[in-house]
Amino acid sequence: MADSQRFAVAVHTLMILAAHKAGEAGHPMTSAEMAKSVNANPVVLRRVISSLAQAGLVATRPGAHGGVWLAKAPNDIAMDQVRGAVDEGPLVCARTKINSDCPVAVAALDVIDSVSKRVDGAVRDSLALLTLADLVKQLPDSLTQACAATPPASPTLAA
Amino acid sequence: MADSQRFAVAVHTLMILAAHKAGEAGHPMTSAEMAKSVNANPVVLRRVISSLAQAGLVATRPGAHGGVWLAKAPNDIAMDQVRGAVDEGPLVCARTKINSDCPVAVAALDVIDSVSKRVDGAVRDSLALLTLADLVKQLPDSLTQACAATPPASPTLAA
DNA sequence: ATTTCTGTCACCGAGGTTGTGACGAAATGG
DNA sequence: CCATTTCGTCACAACCTCGGTGACAGAAAT
């Protein structure tokens, strides 16, 4: 239960917000704008944004001139929080349908469960060390500068 | 692309083979026998076994008194090999449908890709340290002894 | 030759994910 | 007060992947 693209969409969205330095008192970005860059339906984006908002990573405001912005500094947004917000299932899932009359199967289930937990821990640990700020740093400098200086109706996002 | 139960089925299968000390010159186990314990269709099991065989982890022989057995010592079977054999896709997959006219999207794709590689590396590393022997050790001693002494038609597997 | 078992195919149904339209609620501006 | 914008969420369709199942050919043992 993990082959969705929600995590990728979430990271993409957060990078856009960070690169454009979108803020409440400035120019929040709309889901429609960002949907163009992600090449997805605005509703899909809003579903992801909704999860991120519940996790306290972004804030939103409806109405004219409303939109989405980061609720925390990029340095304080770690990737494991993002994954936890949009994709809560375990990566490697155990079997639910074992034959409970078979003692080997019952014991194996526990063992496999421990493997699953181990993998999940490894994923979480590796993502916890990665912040949104780290990712934005990987963007070409020219790009982030262009975005930061962007007035509404930015040419850096449009198609 | 990782929410399948193939990995769990593979581990379960390998544990059965290890616990029963199945060997070519002894009592290879049939997919039908093991399917009972896993509570899955024999064909599903054979699909997994086929992948494991291609990876050199198990060996098979058709025909009467044929079946499956471990091709290596449990100490030499690491879990990352198992995962690689049955589930080759990346755990967290990037978006394929970005808007390639948007410079932010193009750059973000690379960044997300690096995150994906990082996660995959973490998973691989954590699984590489875990061998089939480690997992079998976690089984209750009584169980492995009962299995090891098992003649054909074992009561420890049947329903 | 018969039996047993693997290997593989084709097909179906279940479940989850994305795409899309629609509607209400909230916020801004005239 | 009203029109506009935008979020939030629902319902539905399209699609894809996965597991379950039956079928059949080939290999091996007796």
Side-chain angles (χ1 to χ4, degrees):
Chain A
M1 201 176 293
D3 57 344
S4 82
Q5 302 185 313
R6 281 195 289 265
F7 179 71
V9 171
V11 173
H12 192 149
T13 302
L14 291 171
M15 287 182 72
I16 293 178
L17 291 175
H20 279 254
K21 297 197 174 12
E24 176 167 22
H27 33 264
M29 305 202 61
T30 70
S31 59
E33 269 178 298
M34 296 190 288
K36 276 185 202 151
S37 171
V38 181
N39 202 13
N41 195 284
V43 175
V44 175
L45 218 62
R46 266 180 263 162
R47 289 203 265 244
V48 170
I49 289 170
S50 181
S51 302
L52 295 176
Q54 280 180 25
L57 302 181
V58 301
T60 64
R61 186 184 49 200
H65 300 115
V68 189
W69 62 92
L70 294 180
K72 305 166 101 175
N75 241 317
D76 295 329
I77 298 182
M79 286 303 112
D80 65 328
Q81 297 175 289
V82 178
R83 192 182 114 71
V86 300
D87 231 343
E88 64 277 351
L91 278 185
V92 34
C93 44
R95 205 107 219 291
T96 56
K97 270 186 52 189
I98 352 97
N99 178 354
S100 43
D101 291 335
C102 168
V104 181
V106 176
L109 187 59
D110 282 347
V111 176
I112 294 174
D113 232 47
S114 79
V115 175
S116 169
K117 283 191 179 57
R118 182 198 186 90
V119 171
D120 263 22
V123 170
R124 192 182 322 281
D125 289 350
S126 89
L127 286 179
L129 298 175
L130 209 56
T131 71
L132 180 56
D134 295 328
L135 299 191
V136 173
K137 268 189 225 122
Q138 293 182 41
L139 292 176
D141 290 352
S142 55
L143 206 60
T144 63
Q145 287 173 10
C147 288
T150 293
S154 133
T156 52
L157 264 190
Chain B
M1 199 175 291
D3 57 343
S4 82
Q5 301 184 314
R6 281 194 289 264
F7 179 71
V9 171
V11 174
H12 193 148
T13 302
L14 291 170
M15 288 183 72
I16 293 177
L17 291 176
H20 280 254
K21 295 197 176 12
E24 176 166 22
H27 34 263
M29 305 202 62
T30 70
S31 58
E33 268 179 298
M34 295 190 289
K36 276 185 201 149
S37 171
V38 181
N39 204 12
N41 193 284
V43 174
V44 174
L45 218 62
R46 268 181 266 169
R47 289 202 265 245
V48 170
I49 288 170
S50 181
S51 302
L52 295 175
Q54 279 178 28
L57 303 181
V58 301
T60 64
R61 187 185 48 202
H65 300 113
V68 189
W69 62 93
L70 293 181
K72 305 166 102 175
N75 241 317
D76 295 329
I77 297 183
M79 287 301 114
D80 65 327
Q81 297 175 289
V82 178
R83 192 181 115 72
V86 300
D87 233 342
E88 65 277 350
L91 277 185
V92 35
C93 44
R95 204 108 221 289
T96 56
K97 269 186 53 187
I98 353 96
N99 178 353
S100 43
D101 292 334
C102 170
V104 181
V106 176
L109 187 60
D110 282 346
V111 176
I112 294 172
D113 232 49
S114 79
V115 175
S116 170
K117 284 191 178 57
R118 183 198 186 91
V119 172
D120 264 23
V123 171
R124 191 182 322 280
D125 289 350
S126 89
L127 287 180
L129 298 176
L130 209 58
T131 71
L132 180 56
D134 296 327
L135 299 192
V136 173
K137 266 189 228 126
Q138 294 181 40
L139 291 176
D141 289 351
S142 55
L143 206 61
T144 63
Q145 287 173 11
C147 288
T150 294
S154 133
T156 52
L157 265 189

